Amino acid sequence: MSKLSYYFLLSSFLFFSCQNKSEINQEFNCKTDLFNNLEVIGDMKSLFSVEIPKNWKTNLYHDEVQSSIFTADTTKQLTETVLLDVTFIQNKINFDDEFILQQEQEHLSKNLVKIKSKAFQLLDKPSFYMLFRGKKGKFKYQVCNTFIKVNESNFILAKSEIYGDSLVNSRLCKSFTLIDKIKLNH
């Protein structure tokens, strides 16, 4: 194989592997973090599903306006895992200044400070993430709220919670890998 062919192949591979990363994965400089032994878990109202590692503990919840899948790897310490809560909410959402201010004030009341936020596309839908940092109990704490506008009347809130300060970005990236696996049931 000639050097030119080799470089073309390598460039093509890098180009397409970068294209497959979602915007949020790119924003956090995530390397592809693949999970093994995934299973599809559907919410109780059959509105969406998520692929989750089979060994993670998962709880389902629903009421009149929402349906949730809450999951975490309970084989690890709280400061080594990620808690992921994906909730389909039957309510309107607009990513305007009022929405952003409301989120910031709500988190500030819990002594959490916004680190960064950005509008982007996820699941081919308008989306917005906000990353907050502070303390929860005796632990350093970060929470990334990812809002996905499903349509004019519904949205998904995927909340990634990270306790402690070890491998925070890596654990966030793992949660984004799972968030990328959300499937809407239309």
Side-chain angles (χ1 to χ4, degrees), residues 3 5 9 11 21 26 32 55 57 94-95 104 111 115 125 131 137 148 170 181 185:
K3 280 187 177 182
S5 298
L9 247 145
S11 298
K21 289 171 72 172
Q26 292 175 28
T32 304
N55 64 321
K57 181 164 176 46
N94 290 311
F95 305 132
E104 289 174 352
N111 295 320
I115 304 303
K125 306 284 185 193
L131 178 64
I148 306 162
S170 173
K181 296 181 180 298
N185 300 335

Side-chain angles (χ1 to χ4, degrees), residues 39-99:
E39 66 179 331
V40 175
I41 303 289
D43 73 302
M44 294 179 82
K45 292 185 175 184
S46 299
L47 299 169
F48 72 98
S49 62
V50 184
E51 289 182 47
I52 298 170
K54 284 184 180 181
N55 64 321
W56 285 28
K57 181 164 176 46
T58 300
N59 291 316
L60 304 177
Y61 171 82
H62 78 284
D63 60 27
E64 294 82 36
V65 296
Q66 66 184 3
S67 187
S68 298
I69 298 173
F70 179 81
T71 189
D73 184 354
T74 57
T75 64
K76 294 182 177 179
Q77 297 292 323
L78 182 61
T79 56
E80 296 173 354
T81 191
V82 60
L83 284 67
L84 180 63
D85 185 358
V86 181
T87 304
F88 189 104
I89 301 170
Q90 295 171 321
N91 203 350
K92 293 181 180 185
I93 191 167
N94 290 311
F95 305 132
D96 55 15
D97 291 341
E98 182 181 335
F99 165 78

Side-chain angles (χ1 to χ4, degrees), residues 109-122:
S109 72
K110 299 174 187 172
N111 295 320
L112 299 174
V113 178
K114 184 176 81 171
I115 304 303
K116 60 182 176 175
S117 62
K118 185 177 180 182
F120 68 106
Q121 291 284 313
L122 184 61

